[in-house]
Amino acid sequence: MGSPPAREGEVDFQAPGASKPCKTWYKVVGKLDSPPLIALHGGPGTGHEYMITLLDLYEKHGLPIILYDQVGCGRSTHFREKDGDESFWTMDLFIAELDNLVDHLQLREVGFSVLGQSWGGILAGAYASRRPKGLRKIIIAGGPASMPLYSEGCKYLLSQLPPDVRRTIEECERKGDYESEEFQKASAVFYARHFCKLDPFPEPVQVGFQHLKEDPTAYLTMQGPSEFTIVGSFKDWEPWKEAHNIEVETLLLNGDQDEAMDLCIEPWFRSIAKVKWVTLNNASHMTHWEHRERFNELCGTFLLSG
């Protein structure tokens, strides 16, 4: 197909509770004369780059793809002054931003689907629960339906680590020591098993970590300083409780060694009426990188059917 037609832009966004002008950066690949797929990245705060595997769907099926940086990261407006402000970093903020982008690109009539990965999957489920006009289908990839169940799963996975690694993580978390080399090394063992099994991590995945390092405001406020022990504002979130309101077809994807264990995906499956669930073998949290072809085959078949 050659290089895809792509355009970048910014849309003004009146962020609830913001005391300054705000913009959302986005990129459109393909023409928006057919329903596009909007990618919701994880973190919060990792940026759009590690979602570029979805461009395969354009290459193979001509499916338009929209990537964007959620506020607080990448090329969108940053709010470092909102560090720790749980009244600002809310689900409503990110849903309002997504709705604003959909309206700006005039997608209500042509229709659109969303794919959310990790935190983006939580956002996708919460968004679909509100039945937005124009939404056709959603894909939740490694997005927990319940943060308490996600935490429970991570506790189990930590218990299965080598004893010395587990002790280091527990000791560092007890002391609040998240910056030391010991904690970083021990965390890397967890990451290699349950976050991304590719070694080294693909460069776009590393860019996501770089975004979090450069501006961890949203991540620290909502999740906390650790990937596997949630102490931030969304530690008690259970978006599955609204998922019975989801009317569109839904595809759930996770890995058999995913930090988002079946335990925290299953409530979506129980709550959503039109739902399919596929767990990929020998896969962790970055299923879209580890099994890129299979992942996109599943997504393409789902999005283009019916």
Side-chain angles (χ1 to χ4, degrees):
M1 262 180 150
S3 60
R7 62 185 172 94
E8 298 179 8
E10 290 179 332
V11 53
D12 291 332
F13 171 46
Q14 300 295 321
S19 54
K20 65 185 182 187
C22 179
K23 291 183 186 297
T24 301
W25 176 93
Y26 65 88
K27 180 176 185 175
V28 177
V29 177
K31 294 181 180 175
L32 298 180
D33 50 7
S34 61
L37 177 66
I38 305 176
L40 312 180
H41 65 71
T46 54
H48 75 281
E49 287 89 353
Y50 83 102
M51 302 291 285
I52 61 164
T53 56
L54 298 178
L55 298 186
D56 296 357
L57 292 168
Y58 174 81
E59 294 290 346
K60 188 165 185 183
H61 304 291
L63 192 73
I65 306 292
I66 298 169
L67 303 167
Y68 76 100
D69 287 337
Q70 296 160 21
V71 288
C73 75
R75 300 189 222 179
S76 293
T77 303
H78 289 243
F79 288 94
R80 291 178 177 85
E81 69 276 15
K82 298 290 188 182
D83 184 26
D85 186 349
E86 296 183 1
S87 68
F88 179 77
W89 299 106
T90 64
M91 184 67 79
D92 285 344
L93 168 71
F94 293 100
I95 286 178
E97 181 183 33
L98 177 52
D99 264 333
N100 185 61
L101 180 62
V102 167
D103 287 333
H104 174 72
L105 295 173
Q106 300 179 319
L107 301 178
R108 299 292 179 192
E109 298 307 321
V110 70
F112 62 97
S113 297
V114 299
L115 183 154
Q117 195 276 333
S118 195
W119 143 253
I122 303 174
L123 175 58
Y127 184 66
S129 297
R130 302 194 186 187
R131 300 176 178 172
K133 185 185 177 198
L135 183 64
R136 296 176 72 250
K137 298 186 180 188
I138 68 165
I139 300 171
I140 297 174
S146 160
M147 293 312 292
L149 289 178
Y150 170 82
S151 294
E152 191 179 318
C154 283
K155 276 182 188 165
Y156 169 76
L157 295 176
L158 287 169
S159 76
Q160 301 304 298
L161 294 176
D164 58 326
V165 174
R166 188 178 72 244
R167 277 196 301 271
T168 298
I169 289 174
E170 288 171 352
E171 178 69 11
C172 288
E173 290 203 321
R174 190 179 61 75
K175 294 190 295 190
D177 173 16
Y178 298 101
E179 302 299 321
S180 68
E181 190 178 340
E182 290 78 15
F183 182 76
Q184 300 301 324
K185 278 185 179 174
S187 297
V189 177
F190 180 93
Y191 281 130
R193 291 186 178 197
H194 306 298
F195 180 81
C196 183
K197 296 172 75 65
L198 301 176
D199 184 18
F201 289 177
E203 187 180 347
V205 174
Q206 295 183 43
V207 170
F209 279 101
Q210 192 60 35
H211 280 310
L212 288 176
K213 196 171 180 182
E214 288 168 1
D215 187 356
T217 308
Y219 187 83
L220 288 177
T221 304
M222 296 172 70
Q223 169 134 341
S226 166
E227 180 73 12
F228 26 81
T229 304
I230 315 298
V231 296
S233 61
F234 70 12
K235 66 180 182 295
D236 298 320
W237 285 9
E238 297 202 281
W240 71 266
K241 291 184 176 177
E242 304 299 324
H244 60 277
N245 292 316
I246 297 176
E247 296 175 321
V248 298
E249 289 181 54
T250 301
L251 174 63
L252 306 173
L253 297 169
N254 71 326
D256 62 342
Q257 295 157 49
D258 201 326
E259 63 183 23
M261 293 180 70
D262 289 359
L263 175 72
C264 71
I265 302 295
E266 196 252 349
W268 290 128
F269 189 71
R270 277 191 286 109
S271 308
I272 300 170
K274 303 172 191 171
V275 63
K276 178 182 180 182
W277 181 6
V278 179
T279 299
L280 286 86
N281 291 326
N282 191 30
S284 65
H285 201 45
M286 293 286 125
T287 49
H288 59 298
W289 280 99
E290 295 163 351
H291 298 280
R292 182 168 177 167
E293 194 172 326
R294 173 71 174 140
F295 184 96
N296 283 320
E297 177 193 331
L298 288 164
C299 292
T301 301
F302 172 72
L303 291 168
L304 297 167
S305 65

